[in-house]
Amino acid sequence: MKWVIFISLLCLVSFAEVKNLPRRYRHVDDQHSTIRLASQISATDFGAITLTLVTQTVPNATLEDLKKLSAEIIELHKKCVASEFSDPPCTKPLGIVFLDVLCHNEEFSNKYGINDCCAKADPDRNECVLSHKTSSTGTISPFVHPTAEEACQAFQNDRDSVLAQYIFELSRRYPTALSVVILESTKTYKKILETCCAEADKDACIHEKATEAKKKFKEIMEEQEYTCYNLKKYGKDKLYALKFIETHEKFVNAKLETITGIAEFVVHIYEEICMGDSVDVLVDRAALSQYVCEHKDAISSNVGHCCEKPLVERPNCLATLANDARSPDLPPPSEEILKETEACTTYTEQRENYKESFLFTLTRNHPELSKLIDLEILHKYEKLLEECCQSEQLVKCLHGGEVVFKLYITSINEVVKSNCDSYKELGDYFFTNEFLVKYSRMMPQAPTSFLIELTEKVGKVAEKCCNLDSNHQVSCALENTDKVMGSICKYHDKHFINDQICHCCNSSFISRWECISNLGPDLSFVPPTFNPKTMDNPEKLCSTSEDTVQKSKKGLLSELVKSKPNISEEELAATILTFREIQKLCCEAENKKECFDKKGQEMVEHLQNGPTTE
C-alpha cells in the first residue's frame, strides 16, 4: 500500500459551527437544559441521579442531609410539571437549580463550608462549589464492606435504604464520576444482591460478581482519568484531534462538518467532566445524544437501537457503538496524492481547516490505523509540506514522504508483532517479568509496587490485544500501551522519577509512548546495596495464594535489578534459580524466617562477589 494521502479540495469546507447542534452548546437558552429534563427520566432513576449529584457536590455531607436536598429537587420537578414549567425556577438551567437548592439553606451551607461560594454570583458560584468538590477527592476514608449476611439482611429489610447508602458511598468517593455510571453501578449492585442473597454460599456469589463489577467500574474511571490527564497536560487541541478521529471512525459515512461539530461538543463535555461539573455533563450528554438521534439518517444507520433506549442509557450506547461499515456510495479509497499544488495553497492559507480535512480523508481511507499513528502521520505530513511547498520539485518531494510513512508504520507493526509473539511464547508471568526488568532499569527510583503494577497493566494490554486480527491488533496495543505510559507520567508529575522520564513526559503527546518505550537504563542512578526485603516476609513467599507468592518473587526480581542494573542475563537467570531453591527449602523449614535470613545472606554475598561490576 502506498502511504500517501489523497487531498481533495472537495473536503476543504468551512468549519463553522454546525447549525443543528444542540442550542445549549451555542450558548442559547434551551428548555432541555432545565428541570424539564427530569420528565424524560423515570422517577426511580431521577431520584438516584439527584442523590448522586448532590452527594458529589458536597461529599462531606451526611446522607440524611443529602436526602433532604434530593427530595427538594424532586418536589420542585413535581411543582414544575403541575405549573407546566411556567414558574421561574422551572425555566432556569438545571445547574443553577441545583446550586439554588444547595445554597438556600444557610444552615446547610455553613455546616459544610460552601457558604463563601453561595455568596457569589453565577458563574463564580458554580466554579467555587466545583473547587470545593474536587479538592475533597481522596479525602474520604475507605469503605468498610459489610459481610454478605449483613448486606443481604439489610437488603431484605429495606432495599431502598441499602441502595441509597450505596449511591452515597460511591458518589462521595468518586465526585467526578458520571452520574449515569453511578446509576448503572447501583443497578448492578441491586442485581447482585437479588441474585446472591438467594444462594446458599452468599459470600462466594457476591465476591465473584462484585469483583467483576468493580473491575468494570475501575476501567471506566481509569479511562476518564486518562482523558482528563491528557486534556490538562496537552491541551484541548490534542483531545479534539483524537475525538475527531474517533467520531469519524464511528460514523465513517457522515459529512465532515457533522464530524467536526460532534467532536467539538464531545471535547466540551470532557472539559465539564474534568472540572467535575456533573450536572452540566448530564445535560450536555443528553443533548448530544438527542442531536445524534434526531439526525440519525445523516449520521449513521447503526444508531437506531440506541435512540430507542431510555435517555439515561442512550449516551453510553452511542459511545460504545461499533464503527459503521463504509457505504458503497462513498468514493473508493484513494492512495494517490492529487492536486499537490492546491494542497500547498490550502495548507498555507487554511492550516486549521487543512488538518481536519486531512484527518477526515486519512481515517476514511485507512480505518486500520491507530489514532496515534494518524496523529503522527499528520505531524510528519505537515513537516513534509513545510519542506516541499518551498521546493521547485513539489511532486517528487511529496512522493518522497511516502517512504517515510511506510517505514514508520512498518516499524510500529513489527514492534507490536514481536511483543505479541513474545507474550504468546512466554506466557503472562514471564512476559511481564521481562518488562519488570526493563522498567526497573529504566526508572529504578520508582517504588517496586508501582513497577509491578505497571507490568501487570502491560500484561493486560497483551492479553486484550494480541489475539485480535491484524487490522485491530496494532491500534489496540498502541492505544492501550499509551495509557500505561500516561500512568507513568501521571505518577512522575506527583513523584519525580528521573530526568529521562521527565523528558519523555514533557515531550509531545504523540511521541510520549514511543519515547518512553525506547528508553534504556537510567545511567545517572547510583545503585543501592542489594538488600532483598522480600525475604523479610516468609509468610508471603510461602503463602497458599499463588498471586501473593508471584508478587513477592517479582518484588525480589525488581530489587535485584535495581541494585545490579548491569547484571547479565545469565547471572540473572542463575540468581532466580538459586532463589527458587531457597524458597522451596525455607518454606518447608520449621523456622522459615531464620532459614530465609541465612540463605538470603549467602545469596547476597555470592552476588556481591559475582562477575557483575557496577
Side-chain angles (χ1 to χ4, degrees):
M1 176 183 287
K2 292 185 177 181
W3 293 100
V4 288
I5 313 302
F6 168 64
I7 303 299
S8 171
L9 286 178
L10 295 175
C11 291
L12 300 175
V13 299
S14 169
F15 295 100
E17 191 170 42
V18 181
K19 293 181 180 179
N20 290 324
L21 271 176
R23 286 180 291 166
R24 187 176 184 284
Y25 183 51
R26 291 183 280 133
H27 310 293
V28 179
D29 289 339
D30 184 354
Q31 65 177 0
H32 297 293
S33 71
T34 68
I35 202 166
R36 187 188 291 265
L37 181 70
S39 299
Q40 303 176 55
I41 303 173
S42 72
T44 301
D45 285 354
F46 185 63
I49 287 172
T50 56
L51 181 57
T52 296
L53 293 173
V54 294
T55 303
Q56 289 181 319
T57 306
V58 194
N60 58 326
T62 65
L63 176 56
E64 182 181 354
D65 285 344
L66 293 168
K67 278 183 175 180
K68 292 176 183 176
L69 294 183
S70 177
E72 283 188 45
I73 296 168
I74 293 169
E75 186 60 31
L76 174 61
H77 174 246
K78 291 178 181 177
K79 290 179 180 178
C80 288
V81 171
S83 71
E84 297 183 345
F85 297 92
S86 60
D87 291 344
C90 309
T91 61
K92 290 183 178 180
L94 192 58
I96 301 296
V97 170
F98 268 80
L99 289 173
D100 287 347
V101 170
L102 287 174
C103 290
H104 81 83
N105 187 327
E106 289 188 16
E107 183 181 352
F108 179 89
S109 61
N110 285 327
K111 182 177 180 181
Y112 296 113
I114 59 170
N115 53 311
D116 58 328
C117 297
C118 292
K120 298 177 184 291
D122 292 315
D124 293 342
R125 178 175 64 160
N126 185 49
E127 292 176 3
C128 180
V129 169
L130 291 180
S131 68
H132 274 262
K133 169 183 176 176
T134 53
S135 66
S136 68
T137 303
T139 61
I140 308 296
S141 59
F143 178 62
V144 179
H145 293 276
T147 64
E149 196 62 47
E150 290 170 342
C152 289
Q153 187 61 54
F155 188 66
Q156 181 181 340
N157 293 341
D158 188 348
R159 62 174 55 196
D160 288 344
S161 292
V162 168
L163 296 178
Q165 185 75 36
Y166 180 85
I167 291 171
F168 170 71
E169 299 293 355
L170 195 60
S171 300
R172 65 203 293 252
R173 287 173 175 81
Y174 295 94
T176 61
L178 300 184
S179 57
V180 291
V181 172
I182 301 288
L183 175 64
E184 186 60 32
S185 183
T186 304
K187 290 180 178 180
T188 300
Y189 183 61
K190 179 184 176 184
K191 289 178 183 176
I192 290 173
L193 292 181
E194 286 174 340
T195 301
C196 294
C197 290
E199 295 290 325
D201 192 344
K202 299 178 179 63
D203 279 294
C205 179
I206 289 177
H207 177 74
E208 178 187 353
K209 294 184 182 300
T211 299
E212 185 60 32
K214 287 177 186 175
K215 178 184 175 183
K216 182 179 179 181
F217 182 82
K218 184 180 179 182
E219 287 174 353
I220 291 171
M221 291 308 301
E222 285 179 347
E223 180 72 28
Q224 178 179 310
E225 289 167 6
Y226 166 78
T227 303
C228 289
Y229 175 77
N230 287 337
L231 174 61
K232 180 180 179 181
K233 189 169 184 70
Y234 301 104
K236 189 163 70 171
D237 289 347
K238 285 292 179 289
L239 180 61
Y240 169 71
L242 288 170
K243 295 306 173 185
F244 179 93
I245 295 168
E246 284 179 12
T247 304
H248 191 218
E249 287 175 340
K250 188 178 293 293
F251 305 134
V252 68
N253 302 308
K255 293 182 178 179
L256 175 56
E257 59 267 31
T258 302
I259 300 300
T260 301
I262 292 175
E264 286 177 348
F265 200 3
V266 170
V267 171
H268 170 71
I269 291 172
Y270 265 105
E271 288 181 299
E272 293 173 334
I273 290 173
C274 301
M275 287 170 56
D277 201 343
S278 305
V279 180
D280 278 354
V281 171
L282 174 70
V283 170
D284 283 342
R285 290 182 92 233
L288 180 56
S289 67
Q290 180 179 331
Y291 166 77
V292 171
C293 290
E294 287 178 352
H295 299 83
K296 59 185 178 183
D297 292 340
I299 294 175
S300 169
S301 58
N302 285 347
V303 302
H305 75 283
C306 290
C307 298
E308 294 171 0
K309 290 183 176 291
L311 182 65
V312 292
E313 297 177 20
R314 201 180 300 160
N316 188 56
C317 180
L318 291 171
T320 56
L321 200 64
N323 294 346
D324 273 350
R326 185 187 178 99
S327 169
D329 296 334
L330 290 178
S334 173
E335 298 176 1
E336 298 294 330
I337 293 181
L338 302 179
K339 303 183 185 295
E340 292 90 350
T341 306
E342 288 87 343
C344 283
T345 302
T346 306
Y347 176 69
T348 303
E349 297 177 357
Q350 304 178 41
R351 293 202 176 191
E352 289 308 309
N353 295 353
Y354 179 85
K355 289 180 182 180
E356 289 165 312
S357 64
F358 180 88
L359 286 175
F360 184 80
T361 305
L362 175 62
T363 52
R364 177 169 282 183
N365 287 341
H366 301 292
E368 76 281 1
L369 296 181
S370 160
K371 295 188 290 289
L372 297 177
I373 290 181
D374 287 340
L375 291 181
E376 181 65 15
I377 288 178
L378 172 63
H379 177 66
K380 291 180 184 297
Y381 201 81
E382 285 178 316
K383 284 188 172 181
L384 190 68
L385 287 181
E386 289 281 359
E387 175 188 344
C388 294
C389 291
Q390 307 297 322
S391 172
E392 293 181 358
Q393 295 182 312
L394 174 63
V395 176
K396 183 179 179 181
C397 180
L398 286 174
H399 279 276
E402 181 178 344
V403 176
V404 176
F405 294 155
K406 187 172 183 179
L407 287 174
Y408 171 70
I409 293 167
T410 299
S411 67
I412 296 299
N413 289 345
E414 287 175 352
V415 169
V416 172
K417 184 179 183 303
S418 174
N419 281 334
C420 282
D421 288 346
S422 294
Y423 176 75
K424 292 173 182 177
E425 180 183 347
L426 298 174
D428 182 81
Y429 180 72
F430 292 107
F431 177 77
T432 53
N433 275 358
E434 284 197 349
F435 274 88
L436 182 58
V437 171
K438 174 182 172 66
Y439 287 164
S440 296
R441 285 172 170 153
M442 180 197 303
M443 39 188 166
Q445 301 87 348
T448 298
S449 58
F450 176 67
L451 297 177
I452 292 173
E453 181 185 332
L454 285 178
T455 59
E456 288 175 346
K457 289 180 178 179
V458 172
K460 288 176 182 176
V461 171
E463 180 185 16
K464 178 179 181 179
C465 303
C466 288
N467 292 319
L468 298 177
D469 61 75
S470 57
N471 280 344
H472 296 91
Q473 187 181 86
V474 175
S475 291
C476 177
L478 288 188
E479 288 158 26
N480 284 280
T481 298
D482 185 65
K483 292 174 185 176
V484 179
M485 302 301 107
S487 64
I488 291 174
C489 291
K490 187 176 179 182
Y491 179 89
H492 170 77
D493 285 350
K494 295 181 180 178
H495 316 279
F496 182 85
I497 297 177
N498 58 42
D499 288 337
Q500 61 176 4
I501 293 293
C502 186
H503 166 73
C504 289
C505 291
N506 288 333
S507 61
S508 68
F509 171 74
I510 54 176
S511 63
R512 176 181 68 181
W513 64 272
E514 192 172 10
C515 181
I516 295 177
S517 297
N518 290 331
L519 286 179
D522 179 13
L523 300 179
S524 68
F525 180 68
V526 179
T529 302
F530 182 46
N531 179 21
K533 296 178 183 177
T534 301
M535 291 197 185
D536 294 338
N537 296 294
E539 65 278 2
K540 291 185 177 180
L541 287 168
C542 303
S543 171
T544 55
S545 166
E546 185 63 22
D547 183 61
T548 300
V549 173
Q550 299 291 28
K551 282 191 175 180
S552 296
K553 289 160 71 174
K554 284 177 179 287
L556 181 74
L557 176 61
S558 181
E559 290 168 5
L560 173 60
V561 173
K562 286 181 180 183
S563 65
K564 296 176 73 68
N566 298 322
I567 190 170
S568 66
E569 294 298 322
E570 293 77 12
E571 189 178 3
L572 184 60
T575 304
I576 291 172
L577 185 61
T578 299
F579 173 72
R580 286 179 183 170
E581 293 171 354
I582 292 173
Q583 182 191 23
K584 184 177 185 300
L585 175 68
C586 293
C587 285
E588 294 174 353
E590 184 175 344
N591 191 328
K592 297 178 177 59
K593 180 71 168 64
E594 183 179 304
C595 179
F596 274 113
D597 286 345
K598 179 182 177 182
K599 294 297 181 182
Q601 184 58 37
E602 290 175 2
M603 184 177 74
V604 170
E605 290 173 358
H606 174 76
L607 282 168
Q608 288 174 343
N609 298 324
T612 303
T613 57
E614 305 299 343

